[in-house]
């Protein structure tokens, strides 16, 4: 390095660190909070994990409204436990993002100001009890595929949070399937309720996987650094292949006139997603965006006294002689 400028020496040191970081990922090692990582890796993870946390917390809202009108006490208890689990998932994920230097206040401010995204699917309304089934079966079904992939993510705290979350999500999906199976085998009216719910949640669930790979600006770097190991379209295809036979077996149809089976690839080929609708919902113009954000803002304001009490308690503990 004789004669090299400070910038060149710094660049070379950066390149060495990056090469070692990428080699660790290639060896399947987890990157842990205190380890060296590129700024862009940290930024991508904070973006993705915090948005994932927001999705869990906002995702409590559509189902939350049905806790008081579940058809039986057993169904009510199960739904209550599921919604509580989603709140817990938000907590694990906010903690995982905090290990990267993001603060809870910054993340919540980003959500409440509309700067941060959350899963578009939660901006659709839950209209009947059958929607609890469709959300569990389709929305949790889609989430599990994505999260099983993320359980292998290169960042240790995210990967470990995902392992725990996936275990619980499996129960969530089963409770949804159980509702849809019960309705599909019930009266004509109940079967129609199940079909109506599947019709309304199918496309929003398909959109959960994100834009086509060709339009996914973050995928390349996330794949390179082992955060994602499968692409948006690959996971979406897996979802369609898994769900279509299940629904057909129950005598339910998929609301996609272009859906067909391709013998050669063994895939169910789906019709095109309405991407205008997807981007519009993400921009804040979905059927329930305003309602969801108003509910979150109110919950945040109502929780102010709890945060203040916790801070006062912590300050008092600190002030006390050991
Ligand atoms: N909704 O470059 P792309 C649950 C954004 S909750 C909104 O492909 P990426 C549950 C994307 O953020 C669990 N925004 O991004 C809870 C990006 O914008 P920014 C939900 C979306 O990150 C309660 C832009 O579009 N799961 O299970 O490579 C009840 C371009 O996209 C969406 C997660 O949160 C979307 N659907 O891939 C029941 C999974 N799709 O940020 C169930 C964690 C894309 O650059 N997240 N965008 O401004 C991920 O796996 C990935 O972030 C995504 C997108 C697959 C969603």
């Amino acid at each position: 390095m004789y004669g090299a400028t400070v910038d060149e020496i710094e660049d070379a040191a950066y390149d060495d660190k990056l090469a070692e970081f990428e080699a660790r990922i290639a060896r399947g090692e987890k990157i842990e909070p205190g380890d060296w990582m590129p700024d862009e890796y940290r930024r991508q993870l904070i973006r993705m994990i915090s948005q994932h946390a927001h999705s869990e917390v906002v995702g409590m809202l559509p189902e939350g409204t049905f806790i008081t009108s579940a058809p039986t006490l057993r169904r009510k208890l199960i739904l209550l436990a599921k919604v509580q689990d989603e709140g817990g998932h938000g907590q694990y994920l906010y903690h995982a993002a905090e290990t990267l230097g993001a603060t809870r206040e910054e993340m919540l401010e980003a959500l409440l100001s509309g700067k941060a995204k959350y899963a578009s699917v939660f901006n659709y309304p839950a209209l009947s009890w059958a929607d609890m089934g469709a959300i569990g079966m389709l929305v949790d079904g889609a989430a599990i595929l994505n999260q099983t992939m993320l359980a292998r993510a290169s960042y240790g705290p995210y990967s470990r949070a995902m392992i725990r979350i996936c275990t619980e999500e499996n129960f969530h999906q089963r409770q949804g399937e159980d509702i849809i199976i019960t309705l599909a085998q019930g009266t004509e009216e109940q079967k129609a309720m199940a079909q109506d719910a599947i019709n309304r949640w199918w496309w929003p669930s398909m959109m959960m996987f994100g834009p086509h790979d060709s339009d996914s600006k973050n995928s390349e770097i996330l794949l390179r650094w082992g955060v994602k190991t499968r692409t948006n379209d690959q996971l979406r295809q897996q979802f369609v292949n898994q769900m279509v036979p299940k629904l057909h077996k129950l005598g339910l149809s998929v609301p996609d006139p272009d859906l067909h089976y391709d013998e050669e690839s063994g895939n169910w080929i789906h019709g095109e997603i309405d991407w205008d609708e997807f981007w519009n919902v993400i921009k804040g113009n979905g059927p329930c965006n305003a309602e969801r954000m108003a509910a979150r803002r109110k919950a945040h304001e109502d929780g102010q006294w709890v945060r203040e009490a916790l801070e006062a308690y912590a300050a008092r503990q600190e002030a006390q002689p050991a």
Side-chain angles (χ1 to χ4, degrees):
M1 281 304 216
Y2 179 74
T5 65
V6 173
D7 278 355
E8 280 167 346
I9 293 168
E10 279 177 359
D11 282 354
Y14 179 86
D15 289 348
D16 287 348
K17 283 183 192 161
L18 181 63
E20 173 52 18
F21 168 81
E22 294 192 336
R24 290 187 63 196
I25 292 174
R27 289 195 296 268
E29 284 175 31
K30 297 289 177 210
I31 306 299
E32 297 297 338
D35 296 349
W36 185 88
M37 60 185 79
D39 289 347
E40 179 59 8
Y41 181 78
R42 187 183 300 276
R43 190 192 72 79
Q44 280 284 353
L45 281 170
I46 291 176
R47 173 191 71 83
M48 202 168 143
I49 301 174
S50 62
Q51 292 185 167
H52 196 160
H54 302 328
S55 304
E56 297 282 357
V57 174
V58 177
M60 297 166 78
L61 296 169
E63 290 170 302
T65 48
F66 275 85
I67 291 172
T68 49
S69 52
T72 65
L73 181 59
R74 184 170 166 271
R75 294 277 188 206
K76 189 200 282 275
L77 288 172
I78 295 171
L79 186 63
L80 190 61
K82 178 185 192 287
V83 173
Q84 182 182 291
D85 282 352
E86 313 294 359
H89 297 175
Q91 290 287 354
Y92 310 153
L93 288 160
Y94 283 125
H95 280 304
E98 279 165 354
T99 65
L100 291 153
T103 68
R104 189 72 68 107
E105 290 73 23
E106 281 162 6
M107 292 187 274
L108 288 180
E109 156 59 23
L111 171 69
L112 299 176
S113 66
K115 217 169 79 193
K117 296 185 171 72
Y118 56 87
S120 52
V121 70
F122 300 118
N123 291 309
Y124 292 84
L127 302 178
S128 81
W129 173 252
D131 289 32
M132 299 306 100
I135 292 175
M137 186 168 180
L138 301 179
V139 177
D140 284 285
I144 289 172
L145 288 176
N146 172 277
Q147 292 174 162
T148 304
M149 166 192 77
L150 294 172
R152 292 188 288 272
S154 55
Y155 187 57
Y158 196 20
S159 153
R160 290 189 288 273
M162 283 296 109
I163 292 169
R164 194 158 166 186
I165 288 174
C166 282
T167 319
E168 293 177 357
E169 297 284 26
N170 276 318
F171 286 106
H172 297 176
Q173 191 189 14
R174 277 184 218 157
Q175 70 85 37
E177 283 186 1
D178 188 54
I179 294 173
I180 293 294
I181 291 169
T182 306
L183 292 174
Q185 292 174 345
T187 62
E188 278 309 305
E189 199 185 341
Q190 286 172 319
K191 191 168 176 183
M193 272 174 75
Q195 184 63 64
D196 172 58
I198 298 293
N199 290 350
R200 284 181 290 102
W201 289 93
W202 177 258
W203 290 109
S205 303
M206 292 282 281
M207 293 173 191
M208 279 182 82
F209 297 95
H212 277 318
D213 296 349
S214 51
D215 296 321
S216 169
K217 61 184 160 92
N218 300 296
S219 279
E220 192 186 337
I221 198 76
L222 293 173
L223 287 161
R224 173 172 162 186
W225 285 337
V227 178
K228 281 178 168 183
T229 48
R230 310 206 63 197
T231 71
N232 297 358
D233 285 330
Q234 283 170 344
L235 286 174
R236 188 169 15 244
Q237 185 62 60
Q238 201 181 338
F239 173 76
V240 177
N241 288 350
Q242 203 178 76
M243 280 306 154
V244 171
K246 275 191 190 181
L247 291 168
H248 284 173
K249 211 168 169 181
L250 290 170
L252 298 170
S253 61
V254 175
D256 178 352
D258 297 322
L259 183 77
H260 61 277
Y261 186 68
D262 179 53
E263 291 283 348
E264 207 180 312
S265 63
N267 287 325
W268 281 93
I269 308 296
H270 62 86
E272 197 46 286
I273 289 167
D274 184 342
W275 293 112
D276 287 343
E277 176 179 323
F278 172 75
W279 293 114
N280 205 29
V281 172
I282 286 185
K283 276 187 209 134
N285 305 320
C288 298
N289 294 60
E291 189 184 326
R292 301 290 181 242
M293 290 314 294
R296 283 313 314 153
R297 277 192 205 103
K298 181 173 184 316
H300 191 69
E301 281 158 22
D302 290 351
Q304 180 64 26
W305 71 270
V306 180
R307 291 189 295 279
E308 282 170 10
L310 283 172
E311 272 167 28
Y313 179 76
R316 221 179 78 181
Q317 293 292 100
E318 252 175 51
Q320 267 172 10

